[in-house]
Amino acid sequence: MSNLYNRISKKELKKKMLINQESRFVVSFYKYFLIKNTKEYRDQIYKNFYKYNVLGRVYVSDEGINAQISIPVKWYFFVKNFLYSLDPELNNLFINKSLNNDEKAFWVLSVKIKKNIVNDGIKNPLFNPKNVGIYITAKQVNMMLSDPKTIFIDMRNSYEYQIGHFPNAIEIKSLTFREQLQKVIKVMDYAKNKKIVMYCTGGIRCEKASAWMHFNGFKYVYHLKGGILGYVYDAKKNGLPILFQGSNFVFDNRMSERISDKIISFCKQCHKPSDRYVNCSFDLCHLLFIQCEKCMIDFKNCCSKNCMKHFL
């Protein structure tokens, strides 16, 4: 295969995926480590993922790899073994499986070389991303949630926090991780000698954030192994109560995964409980917002009557 890119339109690929009944696992993984030849890495991943009909997005950088993908169930162990053998750093790579395992998450394979596997905006050459916080298990998370002296910090964007978070977790209001890293140091300046637990969806953001906190003088920093996804699986595996409230936002066609029965967010239009994220159907708007099923019908999947008027 000489062309390492999709030669079919996204529209056709989406149509093909929606009618495909093949069972899939939706997974995510990341690893911070030095990659010297990112192009070679990118090419090997694309060729092998293409061979096994893997869909989703993968970012390769000289600081590591980050992926959110779906894999046909029949090929899962082949893909896993390929990753383990690709590099000694990836041997026994921690792979997060989706909570509801919806197989319609992706319909395109994209493997790109990036400056960073997550855009952090950190430019200080003295920063050491390997000086991370202490990993904690679901059991430890639950114990620390009951400790009033421990502070939980949500290292996700505001729209992610809105539909689900741990009780009393602090929101660092932002639209990007890059912005959030700058804010969290100022907002939490009073807590440099307190226990701080950082969390995110799959672990990639809170791991780097924990190193950033250490770099800026915070002494007692912890973070969830595998993020929210890792916490839920660990809790289920060990028969522990799941204390995360609401839904977990995901960056694919599903938009969110329900974790608890408690809905903590509200429809933009009628203000009734809802955790259903949509993009406004009017292309010149395309706002990401929460909308219940009734308002979806009433507003034609638009965020306002004005957008609905233009959309129609």
Side-chain angles (χ1 to χ4, degrees):
M1 182 178 59
S2 58
N3 294 312
L4 298 182
Y5 57 86
N6 294 298
R7 287 164 284 179
I8 305 173
S9 72
K10 290 183 179 180
K11 184 177 180 179
E12 287 299 314
L13 288 170
K14 182 176 182 179
K15 182 179 178 181
K16 181 180 177 181
M17 170 51 65
L18 292 176
I19 62 174
N20 193 307
Q21 299 301 312
E22 185 177 45
S23 295
R24 286 178 168 267
F25 287 140
V26 180
V27 306
S28 62
F29 60 84
Y30 75 92
K31 183 70 182 288
Y32 287 107
F33 68 103
L34 178 63
I35 297 178
K36 294 182 179 180
N37 191 332
T38 53
K39 185 180 183 304
E40 181 181 333
Y41 243 80
R42 184 262 176 193
D43 291 354
Q44 286 190 66
I45 291 169
Y46 192 100
K47 288 176 181 178
N48 280 274
F49 279 14
Y50 185 91
K51 179 172 68 175
Y52 293 121
N53 195 23
V54 174
L55 302 173
R57 55 181 170 270
V58 184
Y59 297 148
V60 177
S61 150
D62 57 12
E63 71 167 359
I65 185 171
N66 177 22
Q68 296 85 41
I69 56 176
S70 74
I71 308 169
V73 171
K74 64 183 179 181
W75 299 124
Y76 176 71
F77 288 103
F78 291 89
V79 173
K80 188 176 177 180
N81 289 335
F82 157 69
L83 288 169
Y84 282 6
S85 62
L86 178 62
D87 191 294
E89 290 281 357
L90 296 180
N91 188 28
N92 292 320
L93 173 72
F94 182 78
I95 300 176
N96 263 325
K97 284 188 179 179
S98 167
L99 302 179
N100 60 23
N101 214 32
D102 190 316
E103 61 191 46
K104 308 299 182 184
F106 304 100
W107 47 83
V108 176
L109 173 61
S110 173
V111 186
K112 295 182 178 180
I113 296 173
K114 294 273 191 176
K115 183 177 180 181
N116 301 102
I117 54 175
V118 59
N119 190 2
D120 53 48
I122 298 173
K123 297 180 180 178
N124 194 315
L126 299 178
F127 171 67
N128 180 7
K130 292 186 177 181
N131 185 26
V132 300
I134 300 170
Y135 281 128
I136 53 175
T137 63
K139 183 178 180 180
Q140 291 171 302
V141 170
N142 288 358
M143 291 175 61
M144 295 174 90
L145 279 168
S146 64
D147 179 6
K149 294 182 179 180
T150 300
I151 300 170
F152 275 69
I153 302 177
D154 195 309
M155 290 307 296
R156 301 173 302 153
N157 301 325
S158 292
Y159 55 85
E160 298 174 77
Y161 180 92
Q162 189 174 359
I163 61 170
H165 52 259
F166 282 105
N168 302 316
I170 294 175
E171 175 192 7
I172 308 299
K173 293 186 177 180
S174 61
L175 293 177
T176 65
F177 181 60
R178 179 175 181 164
E179 175 189 357
Q180 199 174 41
L181 282 179
Q182 300 307 313
K183 282 187 175 182
V184 68
I185 301 303
K186 297 176 182 178
V187 172
M188 301 307 302
D189 184 66
Y190 71 93
K192 286 194 171 180
N193 294 311
K194 295 182 181 292
K195 287 183 179 179
I196 292 175
V197 176
M198 314 191 88
Y199 70 90
C200 56
T201 303
I204 187 170
R205 287 176 285 181
C206 52
E207 180 166 324
K208 179 162 281 189
S210 71
W212 180 240
M213 296 293 273
H214 274 316
F215 182 70
N216 283 278
F218 291 81
K219 294 182 179 179
Y220 310 107
V221 186
Y222 305 81
H223 59 118
L224 279 62
K225 183 175 178 61
I228 297 165
L229 297 175
Y231 164 80
V232 173
Y233 271 113
D234 188 17
K236 287 182 177 180
K237 180 181 177 181
N238 291 287
L240 301 172
I242 296 172
L243 302 183
F244 186 92
Q245 298 178 343
S247 296
N248 180 40
F249 186 93
V250 290
F251 293 88
D252 57 54
N253 188 53
R254 297 168 297 159
M255 293 286 199
S256 66
E257 299 175 304
R258 180 70 58 81
I259 293 180
S260 75
D261 293 332
K262 185 175 182 180
I263 298 176
I264 64 173
S265 49
F266 303 90
C267 174
K268 170 181 167 61
Q269 278 120 359
C270 71
H271 307 295
K272 290 182 179 179
S274 176
D275 57 1
R276 181 181 175 275
Y277 262 120
V278 298
N279 287 108
C280 180
S281 292
F282 180 41
D283 286 339
L284 294 182
C285 175
H286 213 54
L287 175 73
L288 178 68
F289 69 105
I290 297 171
Q291 186 178 57
C292 69
E293 292 186 4
K294 182 180 182 302
C295 288
M296 174 193 73
I297 297 170
D298 293 344
F299 285 82
K300 309 299 182 186
N301 228 50
C302 292
C303 69
S304 66
K305 289 183 178 180
N306 184 52
C307 281
M308 183 172 66
K309 180 178 68 177
H310 286 89
F311 173 66
L312 296 176

